[in-house]
Amino acid sequence: MSVPDYMQCAEDHQSVLVVVQPVGNVPEDQFFQIYKRVASVSQVCIRDSQRLLYIRYRHHYLPENNEWGDFQTHRKVVGLVAVTTCSSSKDWPLTAEHFHSQKEVFGSTLYDSRLLVFGLQGEIAEQQRTDVAFYPSFEDCADVEKRVEDFVESIFIVLESKRLDRATDKSGDKIPLLCVPFEKKDFVGLDTDSRHYKKRCQGRMRKHVGDLCLQAGMLQDALVHYHMAVELLRAVNDFLWLGAALEGLCSASVIFHYPGGTAGKALKHKANISQAADAGKRHRPGAQEVLIDPGALTANGISADTSAEIGRAKNCLSPEDIIEKYKEAISYYGKYKNAGVIELEACVKAVRVLAIQKRAREASEFLQNAVYINLGQLSEEEKIQRYSILSELYELIGFRRKSAFFKRVAAMQCVAPTIPEPGWRACYKLLLETLPGYSLSLDPKDFSKGTHRGWAAVQMRLLHELVYASRRMGNPGLSVRHLSFLLQTMLDFLSDQEKKEVTQSLENYTSKCPGGMEVITLPDGLKLPPVPFTKLPIVRSVKLLNLPVSLRPHKVKGLLGPNVSAASPFIYSPIVMHNRGEERCKKIDFQWVQGDVCEVQLMVYNPMPYELRVENVGLLTSGVEFESLPAALSLPAESGLYPVTLVGVPQTSGNITVHGYHTSVFGVNSDCLLDGLPGVKTDGCLVEVIPSLPRLQLSTSLPRSAHTPQPMSKEEISSTVSVQLFNGEGQQMTITLENIGSEDIESLELTSKIVTTKEKVFGEFLKWDLEEVSSHIPLKPGQTVTLTVHINVKLDFSGQESLLQDLNDDGISVTGLPISSPLRQVLKPRPESKPVSGESGKGEYSHIKTLEAVLNFKYSGGAGKVEGYYRELSVGVHVDVEPSVFFTRVSTLPATSTRQCHLLLDIFNPTEHELTVSAKNNQDLVLHASECQRMAIQVDKFDFENLPVPNQETIRFTNPKQLEEQRQHAQGCQINSKLGICWSIISFSGASTLPDRKHVERRC
């Protein structure tokens, strides 16, 4: 016997073997249709008896295995069911002849046979025959199962008669010697009358009767016969048959202890078997074999006395002893080279028993022994079958990695060099089945959770083999998918050289078959999920960017959108219940605008040892319609964190969720979802898109400046203009407004704010008239309009008042006058005046002051205006103010009229230009650079008593300092109106008014 039956289990010893074979030309699918119906009759309850007969069916069985039927009766073919087709009565004789020829193959062992004929009708088909059944067609055969049951009962009758014949004690008859095929030549010339020979014959016959009892459903009789056979055969050192008797004893005990079977089949036993199983559970472990007196046996079995249960319990081996007897039997089989198949099958049976007992380590020892059993020259198909069964058995006992090892060996055997046509599909299928044993899954999501499981080196080897097998199968798409999986999941374990080789191979494959995100379904139904390249490049953070400040929408105060809910009344809650998914879906507190370019920033880095080219990078979104604008980037080798900005344009309004990004790397298109990136930081990926708004762009006639008005930021100011003026000088700035959006500008407002707080400004710094601009509203897309803004700077360049206390002359009190001490030394000082320190005044003259303001344009239009949104565009104005004219001394003289007086002003020109000073009803005074001259102006006396006085309520609720400033401002305005002093620089041909004419008050 050269071909083992790897599917055998211990309970097969109680079954009879029936072969079902086609005769003649029978379609394969129709044959197996009938075969399944025949095989469904796996056990038959014998009428007028409480016994069950179990049947094992095979559609292919080697006749040489049948020769071992005396050694173990379950290997003997006792029944034959032939299936044939016959269309006419003319073909019937030939069909019958073929049937008889088929019976002759197993003729020596057959108990009975049946022929199922399909398609024959007429006189022949109407004949009543027990061994032949006629059916009109394969579909019209309702009583096939009933015919098979009758056939099985006839087999039982023959089996029972043989059991009775062999079990009956015939002391006067000579017992024949049962032999296995290779023993027959060894027993030629032996003394058949010797005591040793007779014991050998008795022992083998007892073992054979035990087999027949087990098949006939007499379990307890079989146990007794096996015990007797063991003792007889042990005495004569008949090791081969001793091993068979021990194996039979183990099989009977397994059937006793495990009525459900060891092959996973649910077997239905009668009540007496269940009771016997209960008795077996009460049996103490480690019970030894006990001999039963042959006189206790009868032709019909053990006598039913009160000691029957005790005898049954003692005859059955304990679960522990079953394994010990299996070991002993296998050791005896190992003594015979020709019994390798028997030894291997015994190992397989023992492993199945140990699997039920959950004794995996001992089971692995049996399997290890099975690996080294030499069965001679095996065909490649037999080798594949052997390794596959070993893999299944290791899986059965929980040795997953060992199971995967033998499954992989079987896969490699499918494509051995000695095979003319390698089976790459079978190899690929077996390799796929090894994946769980190596903790390997084809779903990349399983590798994003926690630490890596399994041996990476072995896993990479297996993935390479899958790639190669799929290529040899002619399926480049599978090769791309497996190679992509290798690169994505094993990137951390690849050396630099391996990374380069894998990526080169991937590019070669994708040049013929680009990789995508579709699910690949294999012929057996297995689905290969897509493999996105989330590590090429690696993304560390995803941030949705707000629009530039000039484009950000603002909500009109007092208008709440439909999606705006009231804020929580609680300042802080210690219970924060959220998960990462909720955090990513959190709504961001800014809005995007329909039709405007929106940005998402990724922080990425390249883990590869060479430059990484990433193409077709874009966003994956849901919600509103979104046009993603793909980009391409090139990352240097092993770069640090590198910012990448992805852009797109929302086409409609609503809520938009950014789910991830898509890339194309090495020819593989990937959709990378943020949920699959556990290490990514994000502040939220849900943002509201409001309806479209117009876009305003402006340009000015003044040059741009790098200055940013403080405390404003560069983001808040779209642009800043800069100009340098003398104190009191004016300048015009022309602003051109252009609608560069797609919506009409339907409203436009302009406001200004001085952001310089340390300087006191006199008069209006910025002035404009919006009437001309308003006449062009609504401003269509592409249209422009100009606006003129007047810049006037009037600052206070005066020194500290403590320096002016020596200018008290002729009852005149001077306050807030600018002083330049060095230049007073050029003049002829009055004798009573005190010298003033020169250094501090010099710093005042050379100081350039800065004045900054912001022009803010507020505009809206389109559907966004309907929803209450608008935009703001800000322009910074930076003015450097140089000092122009200083009054170094002020005094008065009486005039000829009592209503008038002469105002004497010592005027200093601190500029580098020649300038002219003029006043009402007075000649112009020309001052050269750094020159000081006196100017006399005849003016009416000032009457400050007629100035309006605030009421008592205002005085009560106003700060006294503010009241004093208001009084001085009113007096200064009155003085300015009467003096009208202006200056102009001749080379500039421009005129300017002096800032604040100071506050001069006559003391009465």
Side-chain angles (χ1 to χ4, degrees):
M1 190 165 60
S2 61
V3 180
D5 183 1
Y6 294 103
M7 302 310 295
Q8 277 205 20
C9 49
E11 56 267 23
D12 286 343
H13 284 248
Q14 68 178 342
S15 63
V16 294
L17 180 60
V18 175
V19 174
V20 183
Q21 290 183 337
V23 174
N25 187 15
V26 180
E28 184 177 354
D29 55 342
Q30 292 179 339
F31 167 74
F32 280 103
Q33 175 186 344
I34 298 300
Y35 177 80
K36 289 179 181 178
R37 294 184 62 181
V38 172
S40 65
V41 186
S42 59
Q43 61 185 34
V44 176
C45 181
I46 306 303
R47 284 174 289 186
D48 301 329
S49 173
Q50 292 185 350
R51 283 183 278 174
L52 286 173
L53 185 63
Y54 295 91
I55 308 95
R56 192 169 85 258
Y57 296 93
R58 293 288 183 270
H59 57 78
H60 177 72
Y61 197 73
L62 293 177
E64 63 181 82
N65 289 358
N66 197 38
E67 297 175 359
W68 289 72
D70 289 338
F71 181 73
Q72 290 177 327
T73 57
H74 72 282
R75 301 181 185 276
K76 182 186 299 183
V77 179
V78 298
L80 173 64
V81 177
V83 181
T84 187
T85 58
C86 185
S87 59
S88 66
S89 57
K90 295 180 181 180
D91 299 332
W92 171 243
L94 183 61
T95 302
E97 183 179 349
H98 287 165
F99 174 54
H100 288 293
S101 301
Q102 195 80 6
K103 286 197 296 183
E104 291 178 359
V105 176
F106 306 103
S108 61
T109 61
L110 284 182
Y111 292 172
D112 202 355
S113 61
R114 290 290 187 273
L115 175 63
L116 305 180
V117 183
F118 294 90
L120 183 61
Q121 296 180 353
E123 183 180 351
I124 298 177
E126 294 174 358
Q127 296 178 2
Q128 298 295 326
R129 298 182 57 174
T130 57
D131 61 338
V132 180
F134 295 96
Y135 297 101
S137 65
F138 285 97
E139 289 74 22
D140 188 8
C141 52
D143 65 338
V144 167
E145 290 82 2
K146 181 65 174 64
R147 293 267 187 172
V148 174
E149 289 181 5
D150 295 341
F151 167 63
V152 171
E153 288 188 357
S154 69
I155 290 178
F156 175 78
I157 293 172
V158 179
L159 173 66
E160 183 68 5
S161 66
K162 287 184 176 291
R163 184 191 70 80
L164 291 173
D165 182 61
R166 299 289 176 88
T168 303
D169 187 11
K170 300 177 181 179
S171 303
D173 296 340
K174 191 174 182 178
I175 301 175
L177 179 65
L178 303 176
C179 299
V180 296
F182 71 86
E183 285 183 321
K184 293 179 180 179
K185 63 180 184 299
D186 297 333
F187 291 146
V188 176
L190 287 180
D191 183 7
T192 59
D193 294 328
S194 67
R195 182 183 180 88
H196 188 278
Y197 181 82
K198 291 181 179 179
K199 273 198 171 185
R200 184 192 297 268
C201 293
Q202 291 175 357
R204 293 189 179 189
M205 184 58 68
R206 281 294 177 185
K207 188 265 171 194
H208 180 67
V209 173
D211 288 348
L212 294 176
C213 291
L214 191 60
Q215 285 182 312
M218 303 179 69
L219 179 63
Q220 301 305 324
D221 287 43
L223 286 169
V224 172
H225 284 293
Y226 284 138
H227 276 293
M228 296 175 64
V230 167
E231 292 302 317
L232 291 170
L233 296 171
R234 195 188 299 275
V236 295
N237 293 330
D238 192 356
F239 295 117
L240 181 62
W241 285 78
L242 175 58
L246 289 171
E247 186 182 355
L249 186 60
C250 292
S251 298
S253 300
V254 168
I255 295 169
F256 187 84
H257 283 292
Y258 309 108
T262 61
K265 300 178 181 178
L267 302 179
K268 298 181 180 179
H269 289 255
K270 299 293 282 184
N272 60 344
I273 302 297
S274 300
Q275 293 170 1
D278 294 337
K281 294 177 182 176
R282 296 192 300 269
H283 176 53
R284 61 183 176 84
Q288 300 298 316
E289 51 187 86
V290 178
L291 289 180
I292 299 298
D293 184 4
L297 295 176
T298 64
N300 295 322
I302 298 177
S303 58
D305 59 357
T306 55
S307 63
E309 290 296 327
I310 299 175
R312 291 174 187 175
K314 289 184 177 180
N315 291 332
C316 183
L317 298 177
S318 68
E320 292 79 8
D321 286 338
I322 290 174
I323 305 306
E324 292 300 322
K325 297 306 177 185
Y326 262 126
K327 288 181 180 179
E328 185 179 354
I330 291 170
S331 67
Y332 292 149
Y333 290 150
K335 296 178 181 291
Y336 298 88
K337 180 180 179 181
N338 295 322
V341 172
I342 306 295
E343 180 185 1
L344 178 59
E345 290 181 357
C347 289
V348 172
K349 297 169 190 174
V351 169
R352 296 188 188 279
V353 175
L354 285 167
I356 292 181
Q357 297 179 356
K358 301 189 185 313
R359 296 161 66 180
R361 184 173 298 178
E362 294 178 64
S364 68
E365 295 175 359
F366 279 94
L367 283 177
Q368 193 68 25
N369 179 68
V371 171
Y372 295 107
I373 295 176
N374 183 15
L375 298 181
Q377 293 295 327
L378 297 178
S379 66
E380 298 299 334
E381 184 178 352
E382 290 170 346
K383 291 179 182 178
I384 295 170
Q385 184 185 18
R386 182 179 185 181
Y387 294 133
S388 298
I389 293 298
L390 285 173
S391 171
E392 292 177 8
L393 292 174
Y394 272 115
E395 179 71 25
L396 185 64
I397 64 175
F399 282 38
R400 296 189 303 113
R401 192 164 60 237
K402 198 82 168 180
S403 170
F405 170 79
F406 281 103
K407 189 83 73 174
R408 179 177 168 272
V409 173
M412 296 297 103
Q413 200 68 45
C414 292
V415 292
T418 55
I419 298 180
E421 296 182 0
W424 286 107
R425 293 189 180 276
C427 172
Y428 179 80
K429 184 176 182 297
L430 289 172
L431 286 176
L432 285 180
E433 294 175 2
T434 66
L435 297 180
Y438 291 117
S439 302
L440 196 57
S441 153
L442 292 180
D443 190 349
K445 294 180 181 178
D446 296 337
F447 287 81
S448 61
K449 306 169 185 175
T451 57
H452 187 89
R453 295 179 63 245
W455 295 345
V458 178
Q459 292 171 343
M460 287 189 289
R461 174 71 177 270
L462 184 59
L463 289 173
H464 276 297
E465 291 170 351
L466 281 173
V467 171
Y468 185 74
S470 56
R471 183 176 71 84
R472 294 298 300 268
M473 287 165 52
N475 194 333
L478 271 181
S479 301
V480 170
R481 179 59 52 87
H482 291 310
L483 206 53
S484 301
F485 183 85
L486 168 63
L487 190 59
Q488 167 68 18
T489 59
M490 303 294 167
L491 185 64
D492 297 337
F493 303 99
L494 293 172
S495 65
D496 290 350
Q497 182 63 28
E498 289 173 333
K499 290 178 182 178
K500 184 175 295 186
E501 293 174 355
V502 170
T503 53
Q504 288 176 352
S505 299
L506 184 58
E507 288 179 323
N508 291 335
Y509 285 126
T510 54
S511 63
K512 304 173 184 176
C513 180
M517 292 298 294
E518 67 280 355
V519 176
I520 298 178
T521 304
L522 300 178
D524 58 355
L526 179 65
K527 297 182 182 297
L528 300 184
V531 182
F533 278 157
T534 59
K535 292 185 178 180
L536 296 173
I538 298 177
V539 177
R540 283 300 179 216
S541 67
V542 177
K543 183 179 181 181
L544 276 66
L545 301 181
N546 199 350
L547 294 173
V549 176
S550 60
L551 297 179
R552 292 176 188 173
H554 303 274
K555 188 77 171 179
V556 177
K557 292 183 179 180
L559 293 179
L560 286 177
N563 298 327
V564 179
S565 60
S568 171
F570 299 103
I571 298 175
Y572 167 74
S573 172
I575 303 175
V576 180
M577 301 180 65
H578 67 281
N579 55 33
R580 193 172 188 87
E582 292 175 352
E583 181 178 335
R584 286 180 175 163
C585 294
K586 183 176 61 177
K587 195 169 185 179
I588 302 177
D589 58 355
F590 58 76
Q591 293 89 26
W592 285 348
V593 179
Q594 173 188 345
D596 283 2
V597 175
C598 305
E599 298 177 334
V600 177
Q601 187 183 71
L602 309 180
M603 297 301 294
V604 304
Y605 74 88
N606 173 22
M608 304 301 282
Y610 50 84
E611 185 179 19
L612 181 64
R613 177 73 179 173
V614 187
E615 299 177 347
N616 193 30
V617 188
L619 296 173
L620 298 175
T621 63
S622 67
V624 306
E625 183 182 348
F626 188 81
E627 180 188 0
S628 179
L629 305 178
L633 60 139
S634 183
L635 299 174
E638 297 179 346
S639 66
L641 282 179
Y642 190 86
V644 176
T645 302
L646 305 181
V647 298
V649 180
Q651 303 295 326
T652 56
S653 61
N655 288 330
I656 184 172
T657 303
V658 177
H659 294 288
Y661 59 94
H662 60 81
T663 62
S664 178
V665 183
F666 304 128
V668 178
N669 299 319
S670 303
D671 291 344
C672 305
L673 301 179
L674 299 183
D675 291 339
L677 305 175
V680 172
K681 297 179 180 179
T682 177
D683 296 329
C685 296
L686 177 64
V687 66
E688 180 185 4
V689 179
I690 68 164
S692 58
L693 287 169
R695 293 183 61 181
L696 184 64
Q697 176 179 283
L698 60 81
S699 58
T700 64
S701 58
L702 296 181
R704 287 179 174 269
S705 171
H707 295 282
T708 300
Q710 299 295 331
M712 310 291 283
S713 66
K714 289 185 178 181
E715 293 182 352
E716 296 178 278
I717 303 297
S718 61
S719 63
T720 303
V721 297
S722 178
V723 65
Q724 187 170 0
L725 300 176
F726 289 103
N727 193 23
E729 185 181 359
Q731 176 80 32
Q732 285 187 356
M733 176 176 63
T734 302
I735 300 177
T736 303
L737 304 174
E738 181 181 1
N739 184 358
I740 62 172
S742 58
E743 301 287 341
D744 293 350
I745 297 179
E746 301 173 7
S747 65
L748 179 65
E749 300 178 12
L750 176 59
T751 58
S752 67
K753 178 183 178 182
I754 299 177
V755 296
T756 305
T757 57
K758 64 180 181 179
E759 301 296 340
K760 185 175 181 180
V761 182
F762 299 95
E764 292 185 90
F765 176 36
L766 301 173
K767 291 193 302 182
W768 62 84
D769 187 0
L770 273 180
E771 290 185 4
E772 177 66 20
V773 175
S774 300
S775 64
H776 291 82
I777 299 298
L779 192 63
K780 301 292 182 182
Q783 292 184 348
T784 60
V785 67
T786 58
L787 172 68
T788 301
V789 177
H790 300 276
I791 304 175
N792 295 291
V793 289
K794 298 179 182 179
L795 300 181
D796 185 1
F797 277 85
S798 62
Q800 299 180 6
E801 294 185 3
S802 60
L803 300 176
L804 305 177
Q805 57 186 347
D806 61 327
L807 298 180
N808 190 351
D809 180 36
D810 297 330
I812 300 299
S813 175
V814 183
T815 60
L817 297 178
I819 299 298
S820 178
S821 298
L823 297 174
R824 289 188 61 188
Q825 298 176 3
V826 177
L827 303 174
K828 293 182 178 179
R830 298 180 61 169
E832 66 273 16
S833 63
K834 299 179 181 178
V836 182
S837 172
E839 293 300 324
S840 62
K842 183 177 180 180
E844 290 290 337
Y845 278 120
S846 62
H847 179 64
I848 297 178
K849 295 189 176 183
T850 300
L851 189 58
E852 294 178 329
V854 175
L855 285 171
N856 188 51
F857 292 88
K858 179 179 176 181
Y859 64 97
S860 184
K865 184 176 186 297
V866 177
E867 297 292 331
Y869 289 96
Y870 64 91
R871 278 176 167 159
E872 291 184 346
L873 184 62
S874 299
V875 181
V877 180
H878 178 91
V879 182
D880 290 329
V881 185
E882 299 185 27
S884 55
V885 173
F886 282 95
F887 300 111
T888 60
R889 187 180 183 86
V890 181
S891 60
T892 58
L893 290 176
T896 55
S897 173
T898 56
R899 294 183 179 181
Q900 293 182 328
C901 66
H902 292 284
L903 183 62
L904 303 180
L905 303 174
D906 290 347
I907 304 174
F908 170 62
N909 175 16
T911 70
E912 299 178 354
H913 308 278
E914 183 178 300
L915 57 78
T916 303
V917 180
S918 62
K920 288 183 179 180
N921 304 322
N922 203 60
Q923 292 183 349
D924 293 345
L925 179 65
V926 178
L927 291 176
H928 297 284
S930 302
E931 182 181 9
C932 183
Q933 295 188 23
R934 177 164 293 177
M935 185 179 199
I937 305 175
Q938 184 174 344
V939 295
D940 295 335
K941 292 184 178 180
F942 303 108
D943 185 9
F944 296 137
E945 285 76 7
N946 294 330
L947 292 176
V949 180
N951 55 37
Q952 293 298 323
E953 185 176 356
T954 304
I955 296 175
R956 191 192 324 168
F957 293 104
T958 306
N959 192 319
K961 185 177 181 181
Q962 293 180 352
L963 289 175
E964 178 62 23
E965 289 180 354
Q966 293 174 3
R967 186 183 66 82
Q968 290 186 3
H969 181 70
Q971 293 175 354
C973 290
Q974 185 178 9
I975 295 174
N976 290 341
S977 63
K978 290 188 176 182
L979 295 181
I981 302 177
C982 297
W983 61 268
S984 63
I985 297 178
I986 300 173
S987 59
F988 291 173
S989 66
S992 298
T993 60
L994 284 174
D996 195 351
R997 295 298 165 247
K998 312 309 162 198
H999 313 305
V1000 181
E1001 180 182 355
R1002 182 184 297 273
R1003 289 185 180 178
C1004 300

